Amino acid sequence: MEKFLSQMMTENKANSTIDTYYARLKIFHDFLKSTGNDPRTLTPATMILFKNDLLNKGLSERYINNILSVVKNYFDFLILNGERTDFNPVLAPLKLRAKYPDTKVLTSDQQQQFLSWASNLQKNLYVGFLLMLFGGCRVSEACKLKLSDISLHKNGALYLTIEGAKWGSDREVPVMCSNAAKIIYEHTLDLDISSLPVTRCSPRTLQTYATQFSNISGIQMSCHTLRHTFATRLLEKGVEIEQIRRLMGHKNINMTAHYTQKAKINFKSIAPTIWQNN
């Protein structure tokens, strides 16, 4: 397994991706250790036992599928390196039908209420929330951005360069609110050490403050709610879903569709009336 993870590093996978692979492989490793199975001779029948073991632990269908996906990649690695000579035991029928959780999106009023509250926090924390709500950053991405990752273009637009992202989704994203862009840019001008992240805080800190707002206001939200809201607002403004996918750094269009399922689209301009001729 260490060789497999080393190969991932050689392929320039993001550190967060490698950490995720390690955590999921450890679950599999613990199962092999407890059952005395050797991955070089393991059969599909044993993989069914592994899947059932994960279900009995109460893990979600989506999380189990994610674990099985990493294990499948691990077995592909074994086959390519001659450790297995037959086939990959992680077969397609093992995949569970995942239930996507309901997405949480802030309404316009809730968004204004949150921004009013967040504006009273320390400037670096406020900027962190603006990066998620108007730049679509994951909380981990917002907390990694440095001065060199934020650039003001000649047309006045402020861009975020996100590198080392999940699934290799490196991208350049404009801040989608002029007022937020001004606040972020002015904050960068006050920073004296360019090598440190502009938010000067950890993801856990921002998550803690998001929970605090949720408890105070009664509005159910998290840092990820801001990312959902970013995608939803773009779709409502008429941005094509493929463009939103790229801005979000999603692996596929289905994920973007899930993020934007709460979008309220105005169909007045295309809906025919009963008085309209065909």
Side-chain angles (χ1 to χ4, degrees):
M1 291 187 185
E2 290 179 358
K3 290 181 180 178
F4 171 69
L5 294 172
S6 294
Q7 179 62 33
M8 296 299 100
M9 294 179 67
T10 302
E11 295 176 4
N12 293 321
K13 297 287 186 182
N15 290 334
S16 59
T17 299
I18 294 174
D19 290 342
T20 299
Y21 273 35
Y22 171 77
R24 292 170 184 172
L25 278 178
K26 188 178 185 305
I27 294 172
F28 181 57
H29 176 268
D30 291 344
F31 170 79
L32 294 180
K33 189 175 180 180
S34 65
T35 57
N37 280 289
D38 187 330
R40 291 170 294 184
T41 57
L42 188 144
T43 65
T46 308
M47 289 305 305
I48 293 175
L49 294 177
F50 176 56
K51 180 183 75 171
N52 290 339
D53 181 64
L54 298 177
L55 285 168
N56 290 333
K57 289 177 178 177
L59 301 181
S60 70
E61 290 88 347
R62 286 186 67 199
Y63 189 47
I64 292 173
N65 284 341
N66 289 336
I67 293 172
L68 292 174
S69 177
V70 172
V71 174
K72 184 179 186 301
N73 289 340
Y74 168 63
F75 278 113
D76 283 340
F77 173 79
L78 293 182
I79 292 170
L80 287 171
N81 285 271
E83 297 291 336
R84 283 187 67 106
T85 57
D86 47 5
F87 60 91
N88 193 319
V90 185
L91 304 178
L94 281 171
K95 186 176 182 181
L96 296 165
R97 186 172 182 178
K99 299 175 183 177
Y100 282 93
D102 189 29
T103 58
K104 297 291 186 296
V105 174
L106 296 179
T107 65
S108 295
D109 288 343
Q110 290 172 340
Q111 179 174 309
Q112 289 307 313
Q113 187 176 341
F114 172 73
L115 289 173
S116 177
W117 174 84
S119 65
N120 293 312
L121 299 175
Q122 290 179 219
K123 192 70 169 291
N124 60 311
L125 301 175
Y126 185 33
V127 165
F129 286 124
L130 293 178
L131 290 169
M132 289 183 277
L133 183 57
F134 297 111
C137 294
R138 299 177 177 91
V139 63
S140 59
E141 294 170 346
C143 291
K144 287 180 182 177
L145 286 173
K146 296 182 176 64
L147 279 175
S148 57
D149 299 320
I150 300 177
S151 57
L152 184 65
H153 287 207
K154 290 181 179 180
N155 62 357
L158 193 70
Y159 277 77
L160 313 174
T161 300
I162 300 171
E163 297 180 335
K166 190 176 182 180
W167 298 313
S169 57
D170 295 353
R171 59 201 188 277
E172 191 176 39
V173 183
V175 177
M176 297 295 190
C177 170
S178 58
N179 187 52
K182 288 178 183 177
I183 294 170
I184 294 169
Y185 181 66
E186 288 171 358
H187 173 67
T188 64
L189 297 178
D190 294 333
L191 301 179
D192 54 357
I193 303 177
S194 61
S195 60
L196 293 177
V198 298
T199 59
R200 302 290 202 270
C201 68
S202 68
R204 184 178 294 276
T205 299
L206 290 178
Q207 289 163 346
T208 299
Y209 276 98
T211 300
Q212 185 182 108
F213 169 76
S214 185
N215 293 335
I216 292 172
S217 66
I219 297 171
Q220 190 175 357
M221 68 155 286
S222 65
C223 285
H224 213 59
T225 303
L226 303 179
R227 190 166 142 82
H228 277 281
T229 303
F230 170 80
T232 299
R233 294 286 180 269
L234 289 180
L235 188 64
E236 290 175 344
K237 290 179 179 179
V239 178
E240 293 182 5
I241 197 165
E242 172 59 24
Q243 292 177 311
I244 298 174
R245 184 192 71 78
R246 294 182 182 182
L247 292 171
M248 295 288 286
H250 281 156
K251 194 173 184 179
N252 57 61
I253 205 77
N254 291 334
M255 191 174 295
T256 310
H258 168 65
Y259 268 61
T260 56
Q261 62 182 276
K262 291 292 183 68
K264 296 179 180 178
I265 309 300
N266 188 341
F267 295 109
K268 287 183 179 180
S269 62
I270 61 173
T273 71
I274 60 174
W275 300 282
Q276 201 170 325
N277 294 324
N278 291 332

